[in-house]
Amino acid sequence: MSMTERSSEPHAADSHDLIRVLGARVNNLKDVSVEIPKRRLTVFTGVSGSGKSSLVFGTIAAESQRMINETYSAFVQGFMPTQARPEVDVLEGLTTAIIVDQQRLGADPRSTVGTATDANAMLRILFSRLGQPHIGSPQAFSFNIATVRASGAITVERGARKTEKATFTRIGGMCVRCEGRGAVSDIDLTQLYDDSKSLAEGAFTIPGWKSDSFWTVRVYAESGFVDPDKPIRDYTKKELHDFLYGEPVKVKVDGVNLTYEGLIPKIQKSFLSKDREGMQPHIRAFVDRAVTFTTCPECDGTRLSEAARSSRIGGVSIADACAMQISDLAGWVRGLDEPSVAPLLGTLAHTLDSFVEIGLGYLSLDRPAGTLSGGEAQRVKMIRHLGSSLTDVTYVFDEPTIGLHPHDIQRMNNLLLRLRDKGNTVLVVEHKPETIVIADHVVDLGPGAGTAGGTVCFEGTVEGLRSGGTITGRHFDDRSTLKETVRTPKGTLEIRGADRHNLQNVDVDIPLGVLVVVTGVAGSGKSSLIHGSIPRGAGVVSVDQSAIRGSRRSNPATYTGLLDPIRKAFAKANGVKPALFSANSEGACPECNGAGVIYTDLAMMAGVATVCEECEGKRFQASVLEYRFGGRDISEVLAMSVVEAEEFFGAGEARTPAAHAILGRLADVGLGYLSLGQPLTTLSGGERQRLKLATHMAEKGGVYVLDEPTTGLHLADVEQLLGLLDRLVDSGKSVIVIEHHQAVMAHADWIIDLGPGAGHDGGRIVFEGTPAELVAARSTLTGEHLAAYVGT
């Protein structure tokens, strides 16, 4: 048989061209079955909460990762995060999944853009080879490694025992003063005590330190180190030192053994070691007053020791290199001609070019990783994969266009297509029509959100979607039009000489009482202008997408304060106390402690969560469920969606105005589909922001600052959001929105456009005026894209 005859029959290995999912039931999916073509770009669409992430991340990607983890030895698996098998009948044709999601990068104070990618590691090797004077290995340039010196006797027990004198040195690059953090914290003593009073007169002004408390005030007063009746300002040098910095020692107070230590270390242990977000509001306010962070005077914020900063290549130190804008650094690296490190220079230049190509050329390597937005963090993670030579893997992206200007979306599309053309399967969860358009295959989930979603409404091509009649299809070609008339401002908020980050001495008047949109390409300085330069205390309520602190016991009802009026109403109707109606308090099911499920940790294998048999997942004791209000028990109320509950508490015998008002606000921001008892840990970034917005709407602030509120919103929901913004403005509030979505720009009364580029090419105001003027002038990138969008 000749070659040509053999190749005409299809090879068995080529028949696996689909990823098949049968009967997926994760979260709200209702027995979903789909077939996804391999080596193609598939986009998943649908309203928020319709089950896109459950299908793509919770089912396909999760199972792929679990299967890969199972190929390692049990010993290695013991160190890996364990995953339970998703609820699905059949998953066939999976390939290795690489997940690029929007989880923020770790906000560790020592983590920077350079350490999160491999750029810093390569720079350190470069400087240890070429830097003059030579100071040591790559570790000598790392701000995470401290210098260690040791000397002593070392005994080697091999054959004849021999004791030798040895010295050991490891040179690190960490600045000694700030320990590689770049900032030092100072405690403002005036916020801790009033030095004109004595301890007996109650000098301490620390929240929670009562004068009769054993552990705090009395330890100092009765320790014998200081005179409790002498004003603090009259202490001798020794007394003051013992009072502020004394080493821990055991003392007896009223016959009880206690530990006495100086005030500063005590404050550091009790307040500063805790996470700021998790503190109660009054404690957080105290810490913000008492602790000031200033740039480290020794390393000038570079985090590096003097030796590491003294070694240079052509006059540039590693600190200078990390502070450069990445697009400039790439040019500098190209200019180095050193055959001895040629492969290293090639790889480093490629990594830096990837930053520029993906639209992050405006960052610098010393930018703290915790300050990146969700979209920026996602693109930093992509850099790893751009130059990768892997093929036939599945890349999974979660709304890669978040935080991108229409001008940058085109670049992102090209990247997705390039990954596909290398022979990879690319799965993208996305709402923006500009990205849906490039898909080879579309899966539209819906029709609604939450329990009303979870089914596949359409599968096929983009053309088929347009004519398919689903919500996504109907709204696909929606284009907002410019408003006929714009509102007149009632005043202005003045910003003068703003120079934070890359802002170049910007003066701007933000009109109040109208809808203002601040826009510009990614990295042009929008957040620096709005979050960093608006004067505090101007009645500003800032709502962003940062994570909400909360365990799996927190839910929309506890977070918004809705549970209080509900508990009180139940308690009043039944003549018992409100604590019974809290699953975190007296009413909790004794078996599962009110969690509704019992977690079993199986050491190195996947842990299992089983529904509690005692309360059947309802979280409450059986006796509590006998108390009713309006014909429902407390667990039935928590299982309601916001829309149902709004109706329930709105009229009839269950009428509760306090609860109804909060539910109305949740429905206003488009969260009508959330159930009251859904754990906060399951919410997406956009849902979190809208939940915060709902809680803030009751506040008295006059100026609302929203950061990309359209994140994670379906085209159909954007209209509802615009209606909400209009209602806020009409009720007398001023709304400032940082936004890239053209529908929001077209709807604005006033646009402030920053640019013209990103990083040091941005930071200037290139346009301020009405949307109509922006479209007519077409003088900026935003103007051109907006003109094309509204079709003028």
Side-chain angles (χ1 to χ4, degrees):
M1 189 163 78
S2 71
M3 266 314 280
T4 48
E5 285 173 49
R6 194 180 318 142
S7 61
S8 63
E9 299 167 20
H11 193 289
D14 297 332
S15 60
H16 303 283
D17 274 345
L18 294 172
I19 295 176
R20 293 179 56 227
V21 181
L22 293 178
R25 295 179 299 280
V26 174
N27 295 337
N28 65 340
L29 296 178
K30 298 176 181 151
D31 260 337
V32 166
S33 301
V34 286
E35 294 191 337
I36 299 162
K38 285 191 190 171
R39 298 178 210 78
R40 297 288 182 273
L41 175 63
T42 302
V43 173
F44 294 79
T45 62
V47 295
S48 311
S50 59
K52 305 181 295 297
S53 299
S54 302
L55 177 60
V56 181
F57 290 95
T59 308
I60 299 172
E63 180 64 358
S64 169
Q65 294 235 290
R66 193 180 72 86
M67 304 285 266
I68 291 165
N69 288 359
E70 286 192 353
T71 61
Y72 297 112
S73 68
F75 174 73
V76 174
Q77 286 183 49
F79 295 100
M80 301 174 92
T82 50
Q83 289 142 336
R85 184 178 188 276
E87 276 195 57
V88 56
D89 297 335
V90 182
L91 271 174
E92 285 179 355
L94 289 179
T95 67
T96 310
I98 293 176
I99 298 178
V100 189
D101 60 9
Q102 304 231 352
Q103 290 288 320
R104 298 285 173 102
L105 292 169
D108 182 271
R110 290 211 186 89
S111 182
T112 64
V113 169
T115 57
T117 54
D118 296 333
N120 257 31
M122 291 188 269
L123 265 183
R124 292 200 292 270
I125 300 171
L126 185 69
F127 272 87
S128 75
R129 297 281 187 280
L130 301 182
Q132 291 299 330
H134 176 75
I135 59 164
S137 70
Q139 293 185 333
F141 293 95
S142 165
F143 53 75
N144 286 330
I145 296 178
T147 299
V148 177
R149 290 191 187 86
S151 63
I154 173 172
T155 307
V156 182
E157 300 202 4
R158 191 175 349 152
R161 285 179 62 170
K162 203 160 89 185
T163 305
E164 304 171 3
K165 192 167 185 307
T167 58
F168 161 79
T169 317
R170 180 187 73 189
I171 296 190
M174 180 188 285
C175 165
V176 185
R177 171 86 188 268
C178 63
E179 298 188 0
R181 288 193 176 89
V184 285
S185 59
D186 279 335
I187 295 185
D188 180 358
L189 298 175
T190 59
Q191 298 294 337
L192 304 184
Y193 55 76
D194 176 353
D195 66 356
S196 63
K197 292 181 178 172
S198 68
L199 295 185
E201 292 166 344
F204 286 120
T205 53
I206 302 167
W209 282 38
K210 302 192 173 51
S211 57
D212 56 351
S213 163
F214 248 164
W215 311 106
T216 54
V217 179
R218 286 183 60 186
V219 174
Y220 289 99
E222 300 175 28
S223 63
F225 287 107
V226 294
D227 179 352
D229 299 315
K230 182 154 92 177
I232 295 176
R233 62 164 65 143
D234 297 340
Y235 282 2
T236 63
K237 210 168 184 180
K238 179 173 185 324
E239 278 183 315
L240 195 61
H241 182 271
D242 285 344
F243 177 56
L244 292 178
Y245 304 104
E247 297 287 316
V249 285
K250 289 266 185 278
V251 293
K252 259 198 158 91
V253 176
D254 270 2
V256 182
N257 282 324
L258 296 174
T259 303
Y260 169 91
E261 66 178 327
L263 185 61
I264 303 270
K266 184 158 184 124
I267 292 290
Q268 276 172 331
K269 280 181 195 155
S270 58
F271 291 105
L272 304 188
S273 58
K274 294 192 178 65
D275 179 22
R276 182 180 169 281
E277 290 293 322
M279 297 175 178
Q280 293 166 294
H282 68 287
I283 305 277
R284 190 185 314 170
F286 161 71
V287 170
D288 288 347
R289 282 198 316 271
V291 185
T292 51
F293 284 95
T294 48
T295 305
C296 170
E298 228 157 272
C299 65
D300 206 17
T302 60
R303 306 159 176 256
L304 290 158
S305 67
E306 199 177 333
R309 299 197 308 272
S310 68
S311 177
R312 295 172 182 270
I313 301 177
V316 174
S317 73
I318 189 165
D320 303 336
C322 289
M324 280 185 200
Q325 190 165 311
I326 290 175
S327 50
D328 299 345
L329 182 60
W332 178 76
V333 169
R334 273 212 192 73
L336 297 174
D337 181 25
E338 283 289 338
S340 61
V341 288
L344 176 70
L345 287 172
T347 317
L348 180 56
H350 177 83
T351 303
L352 296 173
D353 287 342
S354 304
F355 270 102
V356 177
E357 185 181 353
I358 210 163
L360 292 177
Y362 58 88
L363 294 176
S364 60
L365 293 181
D366 61 5
R367 169 95 175 253
T371 62
L372 298 179
S373 69
E376 284 172 334
Q378 185 177 23
R379 299 203 290 288
V380 164
K381 290 179 198 167
M382 276 181 81
I383 285 170
R384 291 241 149 117
H385 309 302
L386 289 184
S388 151
S389 47
L390 285 173
T391 61
D392 259 334
V393 294
T394 302
Y395 283 99
V396 187
F397 290 99
D398 185 7
E399 293 195 49
T401 56
I402 282 186
L404 285 183
H405 188 270
H407 168 70
D408 300 314
I409 289 181
Q410 198 51 53
R411 274 162 135 172
M412 179 56 79
N413 285 351
N414 296 340
L415 286 170
L416 295 174
L417 293 172
R418 246 180 52 201
L419 283 173
R420 176 200 70 185
D421 294 345
K422 278 192 346 194
N424 297 310
T425 310
V426 182
L427 308 181
V428 184
V429 172
E430 189 51 86
H431 291 293
K432 296 250 173 87
E434 298 97 316
T435 299
I436 300 174
V437 158
I438 63 165
D440 302 307
H441 187 75
V442 180
V443 176
D444 187 19
L445 288 143
T451 47
T455 56
V456 174
C457 301
F458 172 83
E459 259 190 285
T461 60
V462 177
E463 286 314 308
L465 176 72
R466 280 195 160 114
S467 52
T470 63
I471 290 192
T472 310
R474 287 203 304 274
H475 288 275
F476 194 80
D477 291 310
D478 276 8
R479 292 292 180 262
S480 285
T481 48
L482 296 173
K483 293 201 290 204
E484 296 288 314
T485 56
V486 293
R487 301 181 180 90
T488 326
K490 298 191 177 64
T492 54
L493 188 63
E494 293 185 3
I495 294 180
R496 293 290 176 264
D499 54 5
R500 184 155 178 185
H501 300 316
N502 63 338
L503 294 177
Q504 307 187 3
N505 235 346
V506 171
D507 294 346
V508 62
D509 290 341
I510 300 178
L512 295 177
V514 296
L515 177 59
V516 179
V517 169
V518 179
T519 182
V521 293
S524 57
K526 306 180 294 295
S527 300
S528 307
L529 180 68
I530 300 304
H531 292 310
S533 310
I534 283 191
R536 282 279 157 262
V540 178
V541 175
S542 182
V543 186
D544 60 8
Q545 305 197 15
S546 57
I548 291 174
R549 291 282 156 184
S551 64
R552 51 177 175 244
R553 287 175 176 276
S554 314
N555 52 43
T558 57
Y559 183 78
T560 54
L562 170 67
L563 209 52
D564 289 341
I566 292 180
R567 282 197 297 246
K568 283 180 185 143
F570 264 93
K572 195 171 170 192
N574 292 290
V576 289
K577 57 184 182 181
L580 281 176
F581 301 100
S582 164
N584 297 330
S585 183
E586 289 184 30
C589 157
E591 188 67 24
C592 62
N593 287 332
V597 283
I598 292 174
Y599 289 90
T600 320
D601 183 16
L602 298 178
M604 65 192 186
M605 290 166 69
V608 197
T610 47
V611 174
C612 170
E613 290 176 8
E614 180 103 351
C615 64
E616 295 172 359
K618 291 181 177 170
R619 299 165 159 237
F620 292 92
Q621 291 179 26
S623 58
V624 174
L625 298 180
E626 287 168 13
Y627 296 118
R628 297 189 166 261
F629 175 65
R632 304 282 183 103
D633 67 40
I634 182 79
S635 72
E636 288 170 334
V637 168
L638 288 176
M640 289 181 184
S641 72
V642 168
V643 177
E644 289 170 61
E646 189 180 10
E647 203 174 300
F648 176 72
F649 289 111
E653 56 175 320
R655 189 169 166 275
T656 314
H660 188 257
I662 296 175
L663 289 162
R665 292 200 288 273
L666 283 170
D668 274 352
V669 295
L671 294 178
Y673 60 89
L674 284 188
S675 74
L676 303 185
Q678 180 179 343
L680 288 188
T681 45
T682 59
L683 300 187
S684 68
E687 286 171 336
R688 287 191 208 119
Q689 184 180 19
R690 298 199 289 287
L691 185 60
K692 288 183 194 170
L693 178 59
T695 43
H696 284 313
M697 274 165 61
E699 288 182 15
K700 293 288 180 278
V703 181
Y704 283 97
V705 176
L706 307 182
D707 197 345
E708 298 198 42
T710 57
T711 298
L713 275 186
H714 187 263
L715 299 162
D717 298 329
V718 172
E719 292 174 20
Q720 190 185 358
L721 181 83
L722 292 175
L724 171 71
L725 295 178
D726 276 344
R727 287 203 298 281
L728 278 174
V729 175
D730 293 338
S731 70
K733 311 271 189 216
S734 304
V735 180
I736 303 170
V737 187
I738 300 175
E739 189 54 87
H740 293 290
H741 201 296
Q742 287 125 314
V744 183
M745 291 185 209
H747 201 75
D749 298 309
W750 191 260
I751 285 192
I752 297 173
D753 189 10
L754 284 116
H760 57 49
D761 302 327
R764 290 188 289 277
I765 290 194
V766 287
F767 174 85
E768 30 183 337
T770 63
E773 292 164 5
L774 179 63
V775 167
R778 292 194 185 210
S779 56
T780 68
L781 279 172
T782 311
E784 286 174 26
H785 284 280
L786 188 59
Y789 175 81
V790 295
T792 53

